Structure formats: C-alpha cells, structure tokens
Amino acid sequence: MIKVEVSRNKISIKGHANYSDYGSDIVCASVSSTVLTTINAIMLICGDTISVIQSDGNMQILIQKENDITRKLLDNMIRCLKEIEINYGKNIKIREE
C-alpha cells in the first residue's frame, strides 16, 4: 500500500500500491505521475521553495519556503491523490496532520 503523509512542511510518499505486478501497476503509475509532474512544475517555476529526498521507493517533499504557487500546486497534487484514493482505497491511504 502507498502511504501518503501530509503535514504543513512535509509530504511523505512511501510504499508500493500492490494493485498489480511491479512495472504494470496503474495505481503506482498514477501516483508517480501526479507527484513527479507536481515536483517538476514547482522546480521549473520556483525551484528554491522545495527540496526532494528520494530513496528506495520512498519520497519526501520538504517545503523550504512558503509561496502561493507552490502551495497551490501541492494542494492540487493532494486533491489528485485523494481522487485516486477514492477509487483505489485498498492501495493508497492519505493521512493529513
């Protein structure tokens, strides 16, 4: 299961959805696409507002500076992940602090 933990200054994404075999898992692909598109957009527009730590299928997005654009993009990412959770609740859980 993918576990997403959201706090004011950090978003952690951990695990594997286990919806299908590794490499053909549509839930993992959807989550990865959503998260990476958001990170790339933030880095392109205002790259100094976040840092990203990635290791062994785990990712942390650390918010370094508050910025309206960064906050809106991250909020949109969380909304998109919640839509995935609605349809695949056995494979992704989102917890907000």
Side-chain angles (χ1 to χ4, degrees):
M1 174 179 294
I2 296 172
K3 295 180 181 178
V4 181
E5 296 180 11
V6 181
S7 66
R8 184 77 182 146
N9 295 317
K10 181 171 72 170
I11 300 169
S12 296
I13 302 116
K14 300 176 183 177
H16 180 57
N18 295 315
Y19 179 79
S20 185
D21 294 333
Y22 186 80
S24 62
D25 190 315
I26 61 170
V27 178
C28 271
S30 298
V31 169
S32 294
S33 178
T34 299
V35 171
L36 291 175
T37 298
T38 301
I39 290 170
N40 287 336
I42 292 169
M43 293 297 211
L44 182 65
I45 297 167
C46 43
D48 64 341
T49 60
I50 65 169
S51 61
V52 179
I53 301 169
Q54 196 171 5
S55 64
D56 297 330
N58 299 323
M59 180 176 287
Q60 288 187 345
I61 302 169
L62 306 171
I63 296 112
Q64 304 293 329
K65 294 181 188 175
E66 279 296 322
N67 171 300
D68 191 49
I69 293 169
T70 299
R71 181 54 51 198
K72 286 179 180 178
L73 287 168
L74 290 173
D75 288 347
N76 183 66
M77 179 186 80
I78 297 304
R79 278 193 295 278
C80 291
L81 293 174
K82 285 180 179 179
E83 288 294 320
I84 297 169
E85 182 183 32
I86 288 169
N87 293 304
Y88 299 96
K90 293 180 181 178
N91 308 98
I92 178 173
K93 291 290 180 208
I94 300 168
R95 185 173 64 99
E96 294 185 79
E97 296 177 4

